[in-house]
Amino acid sequence: MLDAINLTCVRDDRMLFSELSFSVSSGEMVQIAGKNGAGKTSLLRILAGLAQPDEGEVKWQNEGLSRIRYQYNQDLLWLGHQPGIKTVLTAFENLSFYHANGAQSLRWQALTEVGLLGFEDVPVNQLSAGQQRRVALARLWLSSHKLWILDEPFTAIDVAGVDKLTQQLQRHTKNGGMVILTTHQPLNVENVRQIHLQEKRT
């Protein structure tokens, strides 16, 4: 469903990767691996349509992203390094904003899953970095998006949280969804496919 075709990315006059091609199908989990500076985040941003490759193209269901931007955004959930949440709102208000059509009971369940029950009425800017991250991750328990692109989702999450999040990623792929992620932590997941970015020498 997602095709990366001959992608080349240059940042600050340095080539991060070139002629990179791969496809991701329903039910797959793909880890983008490589050393720091290899271009993992840059690649995820290109796949999410937030940045343009210097060469090549990303297609969703055989159509270039520029031609189906609205549809792609409806199918995509992107969580980057920054939590991407509204800090003046509470945790519960954030979930209500991003998932207005879902039942309130599901929002409570999502907050429970990420260990934020009891903090639902606290403005996000008063939460710790780890708790803010959990507010963003709670969206994964509410999401109906087909494709999840996640940049270091396990950052600032404790062991129990990592285990719950891993199980949720597996549930998503077992239900036909797709996950593309980066992580410095070992993934305790069967059948995860790795794409290694090699550091380019200048």
Side-chain angles (χ1 to χ4, degrees):
M1 295 185 70
L2 181 74
D3 296 296
I5 304 168
N6 295 324
L7 297 181
T8 294
C9 179
V10 179
R11 293 290 181 269
D12 299 324
D13 297 323
R14 185 169 73 90
M15 182 176 291
L16 298 180
F17 49 84
S18 62
E19 299 182 350
L20 177 65
S21 296
F22 60 91
S23 297
V24 184
S25 301
S26 296
E28 276 200 291
M29 186 182 304
V30 175
Q31 179 186 2
I32 307 299
K35 295 181 179 179
N36 288 339
K40 299 187 297 295
T41 293
S42 294
L43 175 57
L44 291 193
R45 288 181 59 82
I46 289 172
L47 296 177
L50 299 173
Q52 294 296 316
D54 291 275
E55 294 180 15
E57 184 179 21
V58 177
K59 290 187 174 184
W60 177 246
Q61 297 179 330
N62 298 317
E63 295 284 349
L65 296 191
S66 62
R67 294 189 291 274
I68 56 165
R69 170 62 57 193
Y70 177 79
Q71 177 188 335
Y72 188 59
N73 287 343
Q74 298 302 302
D75 290 335
L76 170 68
L77 177 62
W78 155 261
L79 294 180
H81 273 179
Q82 299 301 318
I85 51 181
K86 298 184 180 297
T87 57
V88 296
L89 300 181
T90 66
F92 191 84
E93 288 169 341
N94 265 278
L95 296 187
S96 299
F97 176 82
Y98 286 110
H99 301 277
N101 296 326
Q104 283 199 14
S105 61
L106 295 178
R107 295 173 208 153
W108 288 114
Q109 181 63 29
L111 290 172
T112 301
E113 292 290 347
V114 297
L116 285 178
L117 203 60
F119 296 91
E120 64 276 356
D121 292 328
V122 179
V124 168
N125 56 18
Q126 296 180 24
L127 298 176
S128 69
Q131 288 171 326
Q132 291 185 27
R133 189 70 174 169
R134 289 179 181 217
V135 175
L137 292 171
R139 296 183 60 195
L140 298 179
W141 273 264
L142 299 171
S143 173
S144 60
H145 302 81
K146 296 177 183 177
L147 173 62
W148 295 354
I149 299 181
L150 314 174
D151 199 0
E152 298 291 344
F154 301 113
T155 299
I157 303 299
D158 61 19
V159 173
V162 167
D163 184 58
K164 279 196 171 185
L165 178 54
T166 300
Q167 292 177 33
Q168 182 64 8
L169 300 183
Q170 289 179 297
R171 277 192 290 268
H172 184 58
T173 55
K174 286 180 180 178
N175 289 329
M178 291 169 286
V179 176
I180 304 174
L181 79 162
T182 62
T183 177
H184 286 93
Q185 298 195 32
L187 266 177
N188 187 23
V189 177
E190 293 182 358
N191 301 322
V192 62
R193 178 159 61 99
Q194 286 192 338
I195 295 173
H196 286 270
L197 299 184
Q198 302 297 325
E199 186 178 5
K200 298 291 183 181
R201 302 290 182 179
T202 56

PDB file of all heavy atoms in Angstrom, residues 71-107:
ATOM      1  N   GLN A  71      -6.693  12.303   1.255  1.00  0.00           N
ATOM      2  CA  GLN A  71      -6.952  10.901   1.578  1.00  0.00           C
ATOM      3  C   GLN A  71      -5.823  10.310   2.418  1.00  0.00           C
ATOM      4  O   GLN A  71      -6.070   9.574   3.380  1.00  0.00           O
ATOM      5  CB  GLN A  71      -7.098  10.074   0.299  1.00  0.00           C
ATOM      6  CG  GLN A  71      -7.307   8.582   0.552  1.00  0.00           C
ATOM      7  CD  GLN A  71      -7.256   7.748  -0.713  1.00  0.00           C
ATOM      8  OE1 GLN A  71      -7.524   8.250  -1.799  1.00  0.00           O
ATOM      9  NE2 GLN A  71      -6.903   6.486  -0.566  1.00  0.00           N
ATOM     10  N   TYR A  72      -4.590  10.649   2.056  1.00  0.00           N
ATOM     11  CA  TYR A  72      -3.440  10.109   2.791  1.00  0.00           C
ATOM     12  C   TYR A  72      -3.470  10.573   4.248  1.00  0.00           C
ATOM     13  O   TYR A  72      -3.232   9.785   5.165  1.00  0.00           O
ATOM     14  CB  TYR A  72      -2.142  10.529   2.119  1.00  0.00           C
ATOM     15  CG  TYR A  72      -0.912   9.868   2.698  1.00  0.00           C
ATOM     16  CD1 TYR A  72      -0.778   8.482   2.704  1.00  0.00           C
ATOM     17  CD2 TYR A  72       0.124  10.627   3.238  1.00  0.00           C
ATOM     18  CE1 TYR A  72       0.344   7.859   3.230  1.00  0.00           C
ATOM     19  CE2 TYR A  72       1.265  10.024   3.758  1.00  0.00           C
ATOM     20  CZ  TYR A  72       1.362   8.640   3.757  1.00  0.00           C
ATOM     21  OH  TYR A  72       2.486   8.047   4.274  1.00  0.00           O
ATOM     22  N   ASN A  73      -3.783  11.847   4.462  1.00  0.00           N
ATOM     23  CA  ASN A  73      -3.836  12.361   5.821  1.00  0.00           C
ATOM     24  C   ASN A  73      -4.929  11.689   6.636  1.00  0.00           C
ATOM     25  O   ASN A  73      -4.820  11.566   7.858  1.00  0.00           O
ATOM     26  CB  ASN A  73      -4.054  13.876   5.800  1.00  0.00           C
ATOM     27  CG  ASN A  73      -2.813  14.623   5.365  1.00  0.00           C
ATOM     28  OD1 ASN A  73      -1.712  14.091   5.379  1.00  0.00           O
ATOM     29  ND2 ASN A  73      -2.979  15.866   4.945  1.00  0.00           N
ATOM     30  N   GLN A  74      -5.991  11.253   5.966  1.00  0.00           N
ATOM     31  CA  GLN A  74      -7.052  10.528   6.660  1.00  0.00           C
ATOM     32  C   GLN A  74      -6.614   9.129   7.065  1.00  0.00           C
ATOM     33  O   GLN A  74      -7.125   8.555   8.033  1.00  0.00           O
ATOM     34  CB  GLN A  74      -8.304  10.435   5.772  1.00  0.00           C
ATOM     35  CG  GLN A  74      -8.921  11.774   5.412  1.00  0.00           C
ATOM     36  CD  GLN A  74      -9.309  12.584   6.632  1.00  0.00           C
ATOM     37  OE1 GLN A  74     -10.093  12.128   7.457  1.00  0.00           O
ATOM     38  NE2 GLN A  74      -8.771  13.785   6.748  1.00  0.00           N
ATOM     39  N   ASP A  75      -5.671   8.571   6.330  1.00  0.00           N
ATOM     40  CA  ASP A  75      -5.198   7.205   6.581  1.00  0.00           C
ATOM     41  C   ASP A  75      -3.969   7.150   7.483  1.00  0.00           C
ATOM     42  O   ASP A  75      -3.558   6.069   7.905  1.00  0.00           O
ATOM     43  CB  ASP A  75      -4.855   6.515   5.254  1.00  0.00           C
ATOM     44  CG  ASP A  75      -6.092   6.209   4.423  1.00  0.00           C
ATOM     45  OD1 ASP A  75      -7.179   6.076   5.009  1.00  0.00           O
ATOM     46  OD2 ASP A  75      -5.970   6.102   3.189  1.00  0.00           O
ATOM     47  N   LEU A  76      -3.369   8.317   7.772  1.00  0.00           N
ATOM     48  CA  LEU A  76      -2.069   8.377   8.442  1.00  0.00           C
ATOM     49  C   LEU A  76      -2.180   8.931   9.851  1.00  0.00           C
ATOM     50  O   LEU A  76      -2.859   9.934  10.088  1.00  0.00           O
ATOM     51  CB  LEU A  76      -1.124   9.273   7.629  1.00  0.00           C
ATOM     52  CG  LEU A  76       0.212   9.663   8.288  1.00  0.00           C
ATOM     53  CD1 LEU A  76       1.126   8.451   8.432  1.00  0.00           C
ATOM     54  CD2 LEU A  76       0.898  10.775   7.503  1.00  0.00           C
ATOM     55  N   LEU A  77      -1.482   8.280  10.786  1.00  0.00           N
ATOM     56  CA  LEU A  77      -1.242   8.848  12.113  1.00  0.00           C
ATOM     57  C   LEU A  77       0.263   8.997  12.270  1.00  0.00           C
ATOM     58  O   LEU A  77       1.001   8.008  12.237  1.00  0.00           O
ATOM     59  CB  LEU A  77      -1.801   7.952  13.216  1.00  0.00           C
ATOM     60  CG  LEU A  77      -1.521   8.449  14.646  1.00  0.00           C
ATOM     61  CD1 LEU A  77      -2.164   9.808  14.897  1.00  0.00           C
ATOM     62  CD2 LEU A  77      -2.010   7.440  15.682  1.00  0.00           C
ATOM     63  N   TRP A  78       0.715  10.237  12.433  1.00  0.00           N
ATOM     64  CA  TRP A  78       2.145  10.547  12.583  1.00  0.00           C
ATOM     65  C   TRP A  78       2.406  11.010  14.010  1.00  0.00           C
ATOM     66  O   TRP A  78       1.724  11.909  14.517  1.00  0.00           O
ATOM     67  CB  TRP A  78       2.548  11.632  11.582  1.00  0.00           C
ATOM     68  CG  TRP A  78       3.743  12.455  11.982  1.00  0.00           C
ATOM     69  CD1 TRP A  78       3.742  13.697  12.557  1.00  0.00           C
ATOM     70  CD2 TRP A  78       5.133  12.097  11.822  1.00  0.00           C
ATOM     71  NE1 TRP A  78       5.022  14.125  12.768  1.00  0.00           N
ATOM     72  CE2 TRP A  78       5.898  13.176  12.334  1.00  0.00           C
ATOM     73  CE3 TRP A  78       5.782  10.972  11.304  1.00  0.00           C
ATOM     74  CZ2 TRP A  78       7.299  13.154  12.339  1.00  0.00           C
ATOM     75  CZ3 TRP A  78       7.168  10.957  11.319  1.00  0.00           C
ATOM     76  CH2 TRP A  78       7.925  12.020  11.816  1.00  0.00           C
ATOM     77  N   LEU A  79       3.383  10.389  14.668  1.00  0.00           N
ATOM     78  CA  LEU A  79       3.862  10.849  15.967  1.00  0.00           C
ATOM     79  C   LEU A  79       5.365  11.019  15.869  1.00  0.00           C
ATOM     80  O   LEU A  79       6.104  10.042  15.707  1.00  0.00           O
ATOM     81  CB  LEU A  79       3.510   9.848  17.075  1.00  0.00           C
ATOM     82  CG  LEU A  79       2.023   9.651  17.390  1.00  0.00           C
ATOM     83  CD1 LEU A  79       1.859   8.638  18.514  1.00  0.00           C
ATOM     84  CD2 LEU A  79       1.347  10.961  17.758  1.00  0.00           C
ATOM     85  N   GLY A  80       5.820  12.267  15.941  1.00  0.00           N
ATOM     86  CA  GLY A  80       7.239  12.569  15.803  1.00  0.00           C
ATOM     87  C   GLY A  80       7.940  12.680  17.139  1.00  0.00           C
ATOM     88  O   GLY A  80       7.418  12.289  18.189  1.00  0.00           O
ATOM     89  N   HIS A  81       9.168  13.249  17.106  1.00  0.00           N
ATOM     90  CA  HIS A  81       9.941  13.423  18.331  1.00  0.00           C
ATOM     91  C   HIS A  81       9.189  14.264  19.352  1.00  0.00           C
ATOM     92  O   HIS A  81       9.187  13.977  20.543  1.00  0.00           O
ATOM     93  CB  HIS A  81      11.284  14.088  18.011  1.00  0.00           C
ATOM     94  CG  HIS A  81      12.343  13.105  17.633  1.00  0.00           C
ATOM     95  ND1 HIS A  81      13.620  13.477  17.278  1.00  0.00           N
ATOM     96  CD2 HIS A  81      12.332  11.752  17.545  1.00  0.00           C
ATOM     97  CE1 HIS A  81      14.342  12.405  16.994  1.00  0.00           C
ATOM     98  NE2 HIS A  81      13.572  11.354  17.143  1.00  0.00           N
ATOM     99  N   GLN A  82       8.564  15.353  18.882  1.00  0.00           N
ATOM    100  CA  GLN A  82       7.760  16.183  19.767  1.00  0.00           C
ATOM    101  C   GLN A  82       6.382  15.542  19.940  1.00  0.00           C
ATOM    102  O   GLN A  82       5.854  14.940  19.007  1.00  0.00           O
ATOM    103  CB  GLN A  82       7.621  17.590  19.180  1.00  0.00           C
ATOM    104  CG  GLN A  82       8.943  18.318  18.999  1.00  0.00           C
ATOM    105  CD  GLN A  82       9.694  18.482  20.302  1.00  0.00           C
ATOM    106  OE1 GLN A  82       9.102  18.796  21.331  1.00  0.00           O
ATOM    107  NE2 GLN A  82      11.000  18.257  20.276  1.00  0.00           N
ATOM    108  N   PRO A  83       5.788  15.675  21.126  1.00  0.00           N
ATOM    109  CA  PRO A  83       4.512  15.007  21.372  1.00  0.00           C
ATOM    110  C   PRO A  83       3.413  15.406  20.390  1.00  0.00           C
ATOM    111  O   PRO A  83       2.524  14.609  20.090  1.00  0.00           O
ATOM    112  CB  PRO A  83       4.164  15.426  22.808  1.00  0.00           C
ATOM    113  CG  PRO A  83       5.472  15.749  23.440  1.00  0.00           C
ATOM    114  CD  PRO A  83       6.316  16.324  22.345  1.00  0.00           C
ATOM    115  N   GLY A  84       3.439  16.662  19.915  1.00  0.00           N
ATOM    116  CA  GLY A  84       2.424  17.076  18.953  1.00  0.00           C
ATOM    117  C   GLY A  84       1.041  17.199  19.552  1.00  0.00           C
ATOM    118  O   GLY A  84       0.040  16.875  18.903  1.00  0.00           O
ATOM    119  N   ILE A  85       0.996  17.636  20.797  1.00  0.00           N
ATOM    120  CA  ILE A  85      -0.281  17.796  21.483  1.00  0.00           C
ATOM    121  C   ILE A  85      -0.423  19.250  21.920  1.00  0.00           C
ATOM    122  O   ILE A  85       0.538  20.021  21.905  1.00  0.00           O
ATOM    123  CB  ILE A  85      -0.380  16.855  22.703  1.00  0.00           C
ATOM    124  CG1 ILE A  85       0.863  17.003  23.585  1.00  0.00           C
ATOM    125  CG2 ILE A  85      -0.565  15.422  22.268  1.00  0.00           C
ATOM    126  CD1 ILE A  85       0.874  16.121  24.789  1.00  0.00           C
ATOM    127  N   LYS A  86      -1.633  19.630  22.318  1.00  0.00           N
ATOM    128  CA  LYS A  86      -1.918  21.009  22.702  1.00  0.00           C
ATOM    129  C   LYS A  86      -1.688  21.161  24.200  1.00  0.00           C
ATOM    130  O   LYS A  86      -2.447  20.626  25.018  1.00  0.00           O
ATOM    131  CB  LYS A  86      -3.350  21.372  22.300  1.00  0.00           C
ATOM    132  CG  LYS A  86      -3.554  21.290  20.792  1.00  0.00           C
ATOM    133  CD  LYS A  86      -4.939  21.734  20.386  1.00  0.00           C
ATOM    134  CE  LYS A  86      -5.105  21.646  18.876  1.00  0.00           C
ATOM    135  NZ  LYS A  86      -4.182  22.546  18.152  1.00  0.00           N
ATOM    136  N   THR A  87      -0.642  21.913  24.544  1.00  0.00           N
ATOM    137  CA  THR A  87      -0.190  21.947  25.937  1.00  0.00           C
ATOM    138  C   THR A  87      -1.132  22.714  26.854  1.00  0.00           C
ATOM    139  O   THR A  87      -1.088  22.531  28.071  1.00  0.00           O
ATOM    140  CB  THR A  87       1.218  22.556  26.031  1.00  0.00           C
ATOM    141  OG1 THR A  87       1.213  23.874  25.459  1.00  0.00           O
ATOM    142  CG2 THR A  87       2.229  21.690  25.285  1.00  0.00           C
ATOM    143  N   VAL A  88      -1.987  23.578  26.299  1.00  0.00           N
ATOM    144  CA  VAL A  88      -2.905  24.323  27.171  1.00  0.00           C
ATOM    145  C   VAL A  88      -4.134  23.488  27.521  1.00  0.00           C
ATOM    146  O   VAL A  88      -4.895  23.849  28.420  1.00  0.00           O
ATOM    147  CB  VAL A  88      -3.351  25.649  26.513  1.00  0.00           C
ATOM    148  CG1 VAL A  88      -2.155  26.566  26.327  1.00  0.00           C
ATOM    149  CG2 VAL A  88      -4.064  25.407  25.207  1.00  0.00           C
ATOM    150  N   LEU A  89      -4.330  22.379  26.807  1.00  0.00           N
ATOM    151  CA  LEU A  89      -5.459  21.499  27.087  1.00  0.00           C
ATOM    152  C   LEU A  89      -5.032  20.397  28.051  1.00  0.00           C
ATOM    153  O   LEU A  89      -3.847  20.089  28.195  1.00  0.00           O
ATOM    154  CB  LEU A  89      -5.979  20.871  25.796  1.00  0.00           C
ATOM    155  CG  LEU A  89      -6.483  21.812  24.705  1.00  0.00           C
ATOM    156  CD1 LEU A  89      -6.985  21.001  23.514  1.00  0.00           C
ATOM    157  CD2 LEU A  89      -7.572  22.738  25.226  1.00  0.00           C
ATOM    158  N   THR A  90      -6.002  19.772  28.681  1.00  0.00           N
ATOM    159  CA  THR A  90      -5.724  18.615  29.526  1.00  0.00           C
ATOM    160  C   THR A  90      -5.539  17.378  28.657  1.00  0.00           C
ATOM    161  O   THR A  90      -5.796  17.402  27.444  1.00  0.00           O
ATOM    162  CB  THR A  90      -6.880  18.366  30.504  1.00  0.00           C
ATOM    163  OG1 THR A  90      -8.043  17.983  29.738  1.00  0.00           O
ATOM    164  CG2 THR A  90      -7.187  19.610  31.309  1.00  0.00           C
ATOM    165  N   ALA A  91      -5.125  16.294  29.285  1.00  0.00           N
ATOM    166  CA  ALA A  91      -4.959  15.036  28.550  1.00  0.00           C
ATOM    167  C   ALA A  91      -6.283  14.605  27.925  1.00  0.00           C
ATOM    168  O   ALA A  91      -6.345  14.238  26.745  1.00  0.00           O
ATOM    169  CB  ALA A  91      -4.431  13.953  29.489  1.00  0.00           C
ATOM    170  N   PHE A  92      -7.348  14.663  28.712  1.00  0.00           N
ATOM    171  CA  PHE A  92      -8.655  14.244  28.197  1.00  0.00           C
ATOM    172  C   PHE A  92      -9.135  15.164  27.078  1.00  0.00           C
ATOM    173  O   PHE A  92      -9.688  14.712  26.076  1.00  0.00           O
ATOM    174  CB  PHE A  92      -9.690  14.210  29.330  1.00  0.00           C
ATOM    175  CG  PHE A  92     -10.980  13.546  28.935  1.00  0.00           C
ATOM    176  CD1 PHE A  92     -11.113  12.173  28.997  1.00  0.00           C
ATOM    177  CD2 PHE A  92     -12.066  14.294  28.491  1.00  0.00           C
ATOM    178  CE1 PHE A  92     -12.300  11.541  28.630  1.00  0.00           C
ATOM    179  CE2 PHE A  92     -13.251  13.684  28.121  1.00  0.00           C
ATOM    180  CZ  PHE A  92     -13.363  12.302  28.188  1.00  0.00           C
ATOM    181  N   GLU A  93      -8.897  16.464  27.228  1.00  0.00           N
ATOM    182  CA  GLU A  93      -9.292  17.412  26.192  1.00  0.00           C
ATOM    183  C   GLU A  93      -8.524  17.188  24.900  1.00  0.00           C
ATOM    184  O   GLU A  93      -9.069  17.352  23.804  1.00  0.00           O
ATOM    185  CB  GLU A  93      -9.100  18.843  26.692  1.00  0.00           C
ATOM    186  CG  GLU A  93     -10.112  19.256  27.749  1.00  0.00           C
ATOM    187  CD  GLU A  93      -9.756  20.573  28.412  1.00  0.00           C
ATOM    188  OE1 GLU A  93      -8.586  21.000  28.331  1.00  0.00           O
ATOM    189  OE2 GLU A  93     -10.658  21.180  29.025  1.00  0.00           O
ATOM    190  N   ASN A  94      -7.252  16.816  25.014  1.00  0.00           N
ATOM    191  CA  ASN A  94      -6.472  16.508  23.814  1.00  0.00           C
ATOM    192  C   ASN A  94      -7.070  15.334  23.058  1.00  0.00           C
ATOM    193  O   ASN A  94      -7.226  15.391  21.838  1.00  0.00           O
ATOM    194  CB  ASN A  94      -5.014  16.205  24.191  1.00  0.00           C
ATOM    195  CG  ASN A  94      -4.116  17.417  24.086  1.00  0.00           C
ATOM    196  OD1 ASN A  94      -3.644  17.774  23.005  1.00  0.00           O
ATOM    197  ND2 ASN A  94      -3.890  18.069  25.216  1.00  0.00           N
ATOM    198  N   LEU A  95      -7.411  14.286  23.770  1.00  0.00           N
ATOM    199  CA  LEU A  95      -8.002  13.123  23.113  1.00  0.00           C
ATOM    200  C   LEU A  95      -9.363  13.463  22.515  1.00  0.00           C
ATOM    201  O   LEU A  95      -9.715  12.968  21.438  1.00  0.00           O
ATOM    202  CB  LEU A  95      -8.128  11.964  24.095  1.00  0.00           C
ATOM    203  CG  LEU A  95      -6.814  11.403  24.657  1.00  0.00           C
ATOM    204  CD1 LEU A  95      -7.094  10.151  25.488  1.00  0.00           C
ATOM    205  CD2 LEU A  95      -5.813  11.088  23.555  1.00  0.00           C
ATOM    206  N   SER A  96     -10.107  14.318  23.194  1.00  0.00           N
ATOM    207  CA  SER A  96     -11.404  14.736  22.667  1.00  0.00           C
ATOM    208  C   SER A  96     -11.235  15.573  21.402  1.00  0.00           C
ATOM    209  O   SER A  96     -12.045  15.489  20.477  1.00  0.00           O
ATOM    210  CB  SER A  96     -12.172  15.542  23.723  1.00  0.00           C
ATOM    211  OG  SER A  96     -12.406  14.757  24.883  1.00  0.00           O
ATOM    212  N   PHE A  97     -10.181  16.383  21.364  1.00  0.00           N
ATOM    213  CA  PHE A  97      -9.928  17.230  20.196  1.00  0.00           C
ATOM    214  C   PHE A  97      -9.550  16.384  18.988  1.00  0.00           C
ATOM    215  O   PHE A  97     -10.077  16.576  17.885  1.00  0.00           O
ATOM    216  CB  PHE A  97      -8.815  18.227  20.508  1.00  0.00           C
ATOM    217  CG  PHE A  97      -8.421  19.081  19.337  1.00  0.00           C
ATOM    218  CD1 PHE A  97      -9.157  20.211  19.004  1.00  0.00           C
ATOM    219  CD2 PHE A  97      -7.320  18.751  18.559  1.00  0.00           C
ATOM    220  CE1 PHE A  97      -8.801  20.990  17.903  1.00  0.00           C
ATOM    221  CE2 PHE A  97      -6.953  19.525  17.468  1.00  0.00           C
ATOM    222  CZ  PHE A  97      -7.701  20.650  17.141  1.00  0.00           C
ATOM    223  N   TYR A  98      -8.608  15.448  19.170  1.00  0.00           N
ATOM    224  CA  TYR A  98      -8.110  14.656  18.046  1.00  0.00           C
ATOM    225  C   TYR A  98      -9.058  13.525  17.651  1.00  0.00           C
ATOM    226  O   TYR A  98      -9.005  13.039  16.517  1.00  0.00           O
ATOM    227  CB  TYR A  98      -6.729  14.079  18.372  1.00  0.00           C
ATOM    228  CG  TYR A  98      -5.624  15.108  18.321  1.00  0.00           C
ATOM    229  CD1 TYR A  98      -4.996  15.539  19.484  1.00  0.00           C
ATOM    230  CD2 TYR A  98      -5.224  15.655  17.110  1.00  0.00           C
ATOM    231  CE1 TYR A  98      -3.986  16.488  19.436  1.00  0.00           C
ATOM    232  CE2 TYR A  98      -4.222  16.597  17.048  1.00  0.00           C
ATOM    233  CZ  TYR A  98      -3.600  17.014  18.212  1.00  0.00           C
ATOM    234  OH  TYR A  98      -2.606  17.968  18.161  1.00  0.00           O
ATOM    235  N   HIS A  99      -9.878  13.083  18.566  1.00  0.00           N
ATOM    236  CA  HIS A  99     -10.784  11.954  18.287  1.00  0.00           C
ATOM    237  C   HIS A  99     -12.181  12.311  18.789  1.00  0.00           C
ATOM    238  O   HIS A  99     -12.738  11.636  19.663  1.00  0.00           O
ATOM    239  CB  HIS A  99     -10.256  10.678  18.941  1.00  0.00           C
ATOM    240  CG  HIS A  99      -8.884  10.302  18.468  1.00  0.00           C
ATOM    241  ND1 HIS A  99      -8.663   9.604  17.304  1.00  0.00           N
ATOM    242  CD2 HIS A  99      -7.665  10.574  18.991  1.00  0.00           C
ATOM    243  CE1 HIS A  99      -7.361   9.456  17.139  1.00  0.00           C
ATOM    244  NE2 HIS A  99      -6.741  10.026  18.138  1.00  0.00           N
ATOM    245  N   ALA A 100     -12.731  13.360  18.188  1.00  0.00           N
ATOM    246  CA  ALA A 100     -14.006  13.911  18.652  1.00  0.00           C
ATOM    247  C   ALA A 100     -15.173  12.956  18.440  1.00  0.00           C
ATOM    248  O   ALA A 100     -16.180  13.037  19.156  1.00  0.00           O
ATOM    249  CB  ALA A 100     -14.282  15.232  17.936  1.00  0.00           C
ATOM    250  N   ASN A 101     -15.045  12.056  17.485  1.00  0.00           N
ATOM    251  CA  ASN A 101     -16.174  11.183  17.157  1.00  0.00           C
ATOM    252  C   ASN A 101     -16.234   9.906  17.980  1.00  0.00           C
ATOM    253  O   ASN A 101     -17.204   9.162  17.900  1.00  0.00           O
ATOM    254  CB  ASN A 101     -16.140  10.826  15.665  1.00  0.00           C
ATOM    255  CG  ASN A 101     -16.327  12.054  14.782  1.00  0.00           C
ATOM    256  OD1 ASN A 101     -17.045  12.977  15.141  1.00  0.00           O
ATOM    257  ND2 ASN A 101     -15.653  12.063  13.643  1.00  0.00           N
ATOM    258  N   GLY A 102     -15.193   9.651  18.749  1.00  0.00           N
ATOM    259  CA  GLY A 102     -15.167   8.418  19.530  1.00  0.00           C
ATOM    260  C   GLY A 102     -15.938   8.557  20.839  1.00  0.00           C
ATOM    261  O   GLY A 102     -16.186   9.659  21.339  1.00  0.00           O
ATOM    262  N   ALA A 103     -16.320   7.441  21.394  1.00  0.00           N
ATOM    263  CA  ALA A 103     -17.051   7.438  22.661  1.00  0.00           C
ATOM    264  C   ALA A 103     -16.142   7.879  23.801  1.00  0.00           C
ATOM    265  O   ALA A 103     -14.936   7.590  23.809  1.00  0.00           O
ATOM    266  CB  ALA A 103     -17.604   6.046  22.943  1.00  0.00           C
ATOM    267  N   GLN A 104     -16.706   8.578  24.775  1.00  0.00           N
ATOM    268  CA  GLN A 104     -15.923   9.022  25.929  1.00  0.00           C
ATOM    269  C   GLN A 104     -15.314   7.837  26.674  1.00  0.00           C
ATOM    270  O   GLN A 104     -14.199   7.927  27.195  1.00  0.00           O
ATOM    271  CB  GLN A 104     -16.794   9.843  26.883  1.00  0.00           C
ATOM    272  CG  GLN A 104     -17.048  11.259  26.416  1.00  0.00           C
ATOM    273  CD  GLN A 104     -17.504  12.171  27.553  1.00  0.00           C
ATOM    274  OE1 GLN A 104     -17.381  11.807  28.727  1.00  0.00           O
ATOM    275  NE2 GLN A 104     -18.016  13.330  27.205  1.00  0.00           N
ATOM    276  N   SER A 105     -16.040   6.732  26.725  1.00  0.00           N
ATOM    277  CA  SER A 105     -15.521   5.560  27.429  1.00  0.00           C
ATOM    278  C   SER A 105     -14.221   5.069  26.820  1.00  0.00           C
ATOM    279  O   SER A 105     -13.327   4.573  27.535  1.00  0.00           O
ATOM    280  CB  SER A 105     -16.566   4.438  27.412  1.00  0.00           C
ATOM    281  OG  SER A 105     -16.871   4.057  26.074  1.00  0.00           O
ATOM    282  N   LEU A 106     -14.071   5.214  25.503  1.00  0.00           N
ATOM    283  CA  LEU A 106     -12.837   4.790  24.844  1.00  0.00           C
ATOM    284  C   LEU A 106     -11.677   5.723  25.200  1.00  0.00           C
ATOM    285  O   LEU A 106     -10.531   5.277  25.308  1.00  0.00           O
ATOM    286  CB  LEU A 106     -13.035   4.757  23.324  1.00  0.00           C
ATOM    287  CG  LEU A 106     -14.054   3.727  22.820  1.00  0.00           C
ATOM    288  CD1 LEU A 106     -14.197   3.817  21.302  1.00  0.00           C
ATOM    289  CD2 LEU A 106     -13.642   2.311  23.235  1.00  0.00           C
ATOM    290  N   ARG A 107     -11.975   7.005  25.394  1.00  0.00           N
ATOM    291  CA  ARG A 107     -10.920   7.932  25.808  1.00  0.00           C
ATOM    292  C   ARG A 107     -10.432   7.607  27.215  1.00  0.00           C
ATOM    293  O   ARG A 107      -9.241   7.639  27.499  1.00  0.00           O
ATOM    294  CB  ARG A 107     -11.438   9.374  25.735  1.00  0.00           C
ATOM    295  CG  ARG A 107     -11.753   9.823  24.325  1.00  0.00           C
ATOM    296  CD  ARG A 107     -12.424  11.194  24.319  1.00  0.00           C
ATOM    297  NE  ARG A 107     -13.276  11.312  23.142  1.00  0.00           N
ATOM    298  CZ  ARG A 107     -14.344  12.071  23.063  1.00  0.00           C
ATOM    299  NH1 ARG A 107     -14.718  12.805  24.103  1.00  0.00           N
ATOM    300  NH2 ARG A 107     -15.063  12.127  21.960  1.00  0.00           N
TER     301      ARG A 107
END
